[in-house]
Amino acid sequence: MSYDVPEQELMTPGHVACPGCGAPMAVRYALKALGENTVVIIVASCWSIIAGPFPYTAVQVPLLHTLFATGGSVASGVKAGLEACGYKDTTVLTVAGDGGTFDIGIQALSAAVERNEDFIYMCYDNEAYMNTGIQRSSATPWGAWTTTTPVKHPKEQPKKDMVAIMAAHRIPYTATATVAYPEDLIRKVKKAKDIRGSKFLHVLSPCPSGWKSEPAQSVLLSRLAVQSCVFPLYEVEHGGKYTITVWPREKVPVERYLRLQGRFAHLKPEDLRYIQENVDREWERLVEKAKASGQEIPIIPSA
Ligand SMILES: Cc1ncc(C[n+]2csc(CCOP(=O)(O)OP(=O)(O)O)c2C)c(N)n1
Ligand code: SF4
């Protein structure tokens, strides 16, 4: 079997993420796809730490740390500055967590993509504010434990649909990805690189510390998220053309994904049924959109 993953490494060993963290894997693959002619903007998050303190950074391209709310505006400014200096083909990649994207950064991000600024915005989504001790964000799934949604009061709201919000801006390219499918992730980053304008990538990134999961199971969890349809892999072009890029081989029950994570250990059978119903409904809606966009729909057996 041959793999289409570029060999060039732009992340060296020695980053300081926890073992099993999905976030460095996501950026490592993104940099393989983008190459050296890239500037990375890091929004306050675990990634502010993961890169390592100067001059020991594990990232081999120019890197700029910025404030929590400013991923969209700083990327716009850096891209304009590069163009003014004649560096017209340098890719600007913003890397931000779900808190810095779904909640605190959404204003600057919405404004920048509405102007169709030319950058890739990658949100690595670990489903909480992890760097400051696992507080719930609007990306935290319904029912999950966090320190601000303790077991007696788990999260009552569903996860915000950030892809729909970005697609509603009619930007050229919006896509989901996760670290269990590096070739899909790399293909999407390469595609985003070749498109001029705003590109948004939503990357599910397991966090063993916050999910209370085994570090060795992060890739398995990423795969189960896709195979259970909790986190489908798809892309949206210009807000209207939906393409599912990885089809589940068989539809795995959501319980198999949830039971490997201590943050869901308190859920009762009726909670699991409620989550399964929601996942099924959202998946059917996505399949309908892909069908309406002209995609052929395979028959997927249940596991
Ligand atoms: C305005 C502001 N408020 C709070 C903080 C403290 N802070 C730094 S990182 C962080 C959590 C970020 O969460 P998220 O964006 O989900 O990324 P993760 O830590 O999960 O990687 C917080 C609250 C800050 N840097 N700036
Ligand atoms: S707390 Fe979670 S997201 Fe942050 S470095 Fe550790 S595993 Fe990664």
Side-chain angles (χ1 to χ4, degrees), residues 17-18 21 46 50 126 130 207-209:
C18 312
C21 178
C46 276
I50 292 169
N126 51 30
M130 294 304 181
C207 164
S209 322

Side-chain angles (χ1 to χ4, degrees), residues 206 211 213 217-226 257 260-261:
W211 292 16
S213 56
Q217 290 190 330
S218 290
V219 171
L220 171 66
L221 280 168
S222 309
R223 192 177 312 126
L224 286 174
V226 175
Y257 169 67
L260 296 176
Q261 304 173 55

Side-chain angles (χ1 to χ4, degrees), residues 44-47 68 97-100 124 126 128-132:
S45 59
C46 276
W47 243 102
F68 213 1
D98 47 288
Y124 68 95
N126 51 30
Y129 292 77
M130 294 304 181
N131 187 247
T132 41

